[in-house]
Amino acid sequence: MSLKNKACIVGIGSTEFTRNAGRSEIHLAVDAVTAACVDAGLEIDQIDGMSSYGTAGIYAAELAPDIDVARSLGIPNLRYFGQTPWGGGASCGVVAHAAMAVASGVANYVVCYRSLKPASGTVRYGRPTAIPAEYRYSYYMPYGFASPTMWVATMAKRWMHETGATREQLGYVALVSRENALRNPRAMFYGRPLTMEEYLHSPMSSDPFTLHDTCLENDGAVALIVTTPERARDLKQKPAFIAGVGFGTSYDSHSMTSFYRDSIGLPECTEAAREVFRMAELTQKDIDVAQLYDAFTATVPMQLETYGFCKYGEGGAFCQGGDRIRLGGELPINTSGGMLAEAYIHGMNMIAEGVRQVRGTSTSQVKDAQNVLVTGGLGVPTTALILTQGN
Amino acid sequence: MSIEYNPKYMKHFYDPVWENFEDGFWQGIKQRKLKFQKCSGCGTFSHPPRVRCPKCKGEGWEWVESSGKGRIYSWTVARQEVHPAFRVPFEIVLVEMENEPGVRLISNMVDCTPEEISFDMPVEVCFREVTKEWALPMFKKVGG
């Protein structure tokens, strides 16, 4: 018994990505779910499951809870509802849970969504307010060690020291993302090119990161609809099959502060990679395009290593010059612009882009893309998906 | 140079909370002693503390006072404001303790500029008073 190809993504929907959406998280979620239903050719009342995620345990309570979104949509009943923890690390797991729900018959049409407005709302994800009640923050907050950028910077700096990766190599991740965004009218950075000169001369926010190494801050929501292949036949779109799912925590996992392992890195990804490739019965060579969670530039080459596209210490060189990761290269990445240049929707927008690649409708389409790897957030327990044509 | 705080926010940021199994660490801090959890069964150190030893699954822990000596394992320098409670720039160091294998500690330096910090630089613990109730373990250069 395997989950392979037992579920597929049949609808994707999104709001505009903006600095000020002018409406609440619940409203944004309602709009994205509606768009996903229209895309799929599904009536809203057919939705009978919701899989979502937030930042409980890191920041404030969830601001677009499933029952509030369902209530505003007028959905009569949710036969399945579930939340996945650990912020962006959950993104692909949210879809994995939806796949499990439809494959097991618990629900028929599960909507996955993420809605957030850090640009204009009350909860700004990069900003602390005080020591949260969770005990683990007492080891960090009193020292001013209080933002995701600082946490990941500390990890990335050690990784750069151990591997010899350079700022310029990280710069190519930012540049390639920006190139992709220039072809994507939805992207926050559409029409705003970036040069290596600008990248290298941008002031440090938290060493070794500048603003160009960290993701966007924007408002918006993205929703996806998951159902079974049988039901997908009656819907409008070519389905993106969920060939593999992977979860990983690895040993001594903390939320963004896993500083106590033999070697700082992303061992969660190594675990998630093993699971996702095993289920999909594919190898790294089979992947045509990857959407690698990019809240920070450095975690892209770190994932190239931990997802097995190169050896430890080679991720920086893989990105050098950008040719291997740009459109036409050996592993094009983050073809919508990713979270560095399209929008920060906690990875849900990167899954939507994975679906577009399978459909053949990306603004940076990889020719004949058969197999797409999508990954979840880093420095936290993480999740991954392989989306395919289902052949 | 050292981290500087805006007193307005002291209560928000300097009022640690902890679980029962971490009590030894924070009681040690109150006495200005840096103590780490050591498994009385197999000698494994753990920081932050845990309920059971990850190696032998025992729940017998000793709280051992550290020599306080360590080396810089990684660091970052906050140059853009994170929160008005902390005046930038300030540095965060991740110190690998010399005598407690596997133990690393996040802290600040008290006596050097961000530019002076380097990988493997030897440091030792000192306590800096941050509120009336709390002095926290921070680090200074060895011989500094």
Side-chain angles (χ1 to χ4, degrees):
Chain A
M1 161 90 195
S2 164
L3 190 62
K4 182 183 177 181
N5 293 345
K6 297 276 170 47
C8 42
I9 302 175
V10 294
I12 55 177
S14 166
T15 64
E16 75 283 14
F17 303 135
T18 167
R19 294 286 303 166
N20 187 351
R23 56 203 194 279
S24 71
E25 284 89 345
I26 293 170
H27 198 152
L28 290 166
V30 163
D31 290 350
V33 173
T34 304
C37 285
V38 170
D39 179 64
L42 203 64
E43 297 299 323
I44 283 177
D45 285 3
Q46 289 178 273
I47 298 292
D48 59 356
M50 278 195 173
S51 184
S52 58
Y53 60 124
T55 50
I58 303 176
Y59 291 104
E62 180 48 47
L63 294 170
D66 46 22
I67 53 166
D68 293 321
V69 176
R71 180 174 169 271
S72 268
L73 283 162
I75 290 172
N77 179 40
L78 293 177
R79 299 164 66 207
Y80 168 79
F81 49 88
Q83 286 231 340
T84 310
W86 309 119
S91 62
C92 294
V94 165
V95 175
H97 284 143
M100 288 188 254
V102 300
S104 60
V106 172
N108 293 343
Y109 302 98
V110 178
V111 65
C112 307
Y113 68 91
R114 183 75 180 112
S115 176
L116 72 187
K117 43 182 276 183
S120 72
T122 49
V123 178
R124 297 186 68 182
Y125 291 91
R127 313 292 167 110
T129 51
I131 298 184
E134 285 81 5
Y135 67 95
R136 56 185 172 273
Y137 290 101
S138 298
Y139 296 103
Y140 309 114
M141 294 293 186
Y143 300 102
F145 196 44
S147 76
T149 305
M150 296 177 75
W151 300 331
V152 177
T154 303
M155 192 184 296
K157 193 169 177 77
R158 179 71 196 188
W159 171 80
M160 290 170 80
H161 172 67
E162 287 182 10
T163 64
T166 64
R167 287 262 314 137
E168 189 186 24
Q169 290 168 344
L170 302 189
Y172 282 109
V173 174
L175 261 56
V176 168
S177 303
R178 197 65 72 95
E179 287 170 21
N180 292 336
L182 295 180
R183 289 184 285 263
N184 175 6
R186 292 180 313 275
M188 293 287 290
F189 277 145
Y190 181 65
R192 291 176 56 187
L194 175 68
T195 65
M196 183 57 80
E197 188 79 351
E198 284 171 79
Y199 173 85
L200 290 173
H201 291 100
S202 180
M204 290 281 174
S205 53
S206 188
D207 180 18
F209 292 152
T210 71
L211 277 182
H212 292 307
D213 294 287
T214 55
C215 62
L216 287 152
E217 192 175 45
N218 52 258
D219 297 355
V222 171
L224 315 167
I225 294 166
V226 174
T227 192
T228 58
E230 295 72 31
R231 291 192 176 85
R233 285 192 210 112
D234 302 327
L235 299 173
K236 265 165 57 182
Q237 304 290 346
K238 174 178 170 184
F241 281 77
I242 298 165
V245 307
F247 291 71
T249 67
S250 196
Y251 67 104
D252 205 357
S253 205
H254 298 248
S255 175
M256 310 234 40
T257 52
S258 298
F259 298 134
Y260 313 99
R261 296 158 164 171
D262 301 344
S263 172
I264 280 190
L266 302 172
E268 300 87 357
C269 298
T270 309
E271 306 287 350
R274 191 187 58 241
E275 295 303 314
V276 77
F277 282 110
R278 181 185 58 77
M279 186 185 294
E281 299 174 281
L282 294 171
T283 69
Q284 285 78 359
K285 285 194 174 64
D286 299 313
I287 299 298
D288 301 302
V289 48
Q291 313 298 332
L292 302 176
Y293 198 100
D294 60 343
F296 303 95
T297 50
T299 53
V300 169
M302 290 173 83
Q303 285 178 92
L304 290 169
E305 296 172 358
T306 47
Y307 276 93
F309 294 99
C310 60
K311 294 200 185 93
Y312 181 75
E314 294 175 354
F318 199 105
C319 299
Q320 180 68 42
D323 286 343
R324 295 170 79 183
I325 55 172
R326 59 166 52 101
L327 200 56
E330 129 193 20
L331 184 73
I333 62 157
N334 304 356
T335 44
S336 67
M339 292 191 294
L340 289 167
E342 184 194 36
Y344 175 74
I345 309 290
H346 248 156
M348 199 46 70
N349 54 317
M350 306 186 77
I351 305 174
E353 175 64 9
V355 173
R356 280 185 215 103
Q357 285 290 350
V358 170
R359 290 181 180 179
T361 60
S362 170
T363 49
S364 295
Q365 183 61 41
V366 171
K367 200 166 173 287
D368 287 331
Q370 297 290 317
N371 306 314
V372 185
L373 173 71
V374 190
T375 67
L378 293 323
V380 283
T382 198
T383 54
L385 287 177
I386 292 176
L387 303 177
T388 72
Q389 307 267 358
N391 301 323
Chain B
M1 199 188 88
S2 178
I3 189 165
E4 288 178 53
Y5 322 99
N6 182 337
K8 191 178 147 191
Y9 299 98
M10 293 305 252
K11 181 71 181 163
H12 283 343
F13 280 95
Y14 292 94
D15 202 6
V17 292
W18 63 90
E19 298 278 313
N20 67 305
F21 56 87
E22 301 179 290
D23 203 43
F25 180 84
W26 292 102
Q27 293 304 337
I29 299 297
K30 278 187 177 168
Q31 298 157 18
R32 301 198 175 204
K33 287 179 178 166
L34 182 59
K35 290 183 175 179
F36 294 113
Q37 207 182 23
K38 184 184 184 186
C39 176
S40 40
C42 72
T44 298
F45 282 92
S46 179
H47 180 78
R50 313 180 212 221
V51 173
R52 285 190 183 161
C53 172
K55 249 189 200 147
C56 73
K57 316 294 182 199
E59 286 190 21
W61 293 105
E62 295 167 57
W63 290 94
V64 180
E65 186 174 357
S66 171
S67 68
K69 291 190 193 314
R71 287 175 185 274
I72 300 289
Y73 185 79
S74 193
W75 80 98
T76 187
V77 182
R79 295 189 185 276
Q80 283 179 3
E81 188 180 275
V82 182
H83 189 280
F86 310 101
R87 287 181 198 129
V88 291
F90 66 92
E91 71 300 316
I92 292 290
V93 290
L94 178 60
V95 175
E96 184 157 272
M97 303 309 296
E98 203 168 283
N99 299 318
E100 295 85 19
V103 170
R104 299 186 191 124
L105 193 69
I106 285 287
S107 188
N108 304 125
M109 294 297 294
V110 299
D111 65 346
C112 64
T113 64
E115 289 70 28
E116 287 178 82
I117 302 172
S118 59
F119 285 102
D120 299 323
M121 184 172 107
V123 294
E124 66 184 349
V125 80
C126 58
F127 279 81
R128 181 171 163 191
E129 202 167 279
V130 291
T131 64
K132 273 181 198 144
E133 286 108 25
W134 290 102
L136 291 177
M138 296 193 186
F139 287 87
K140 57 183 183 183
K141 292 178 282 187
V142 164

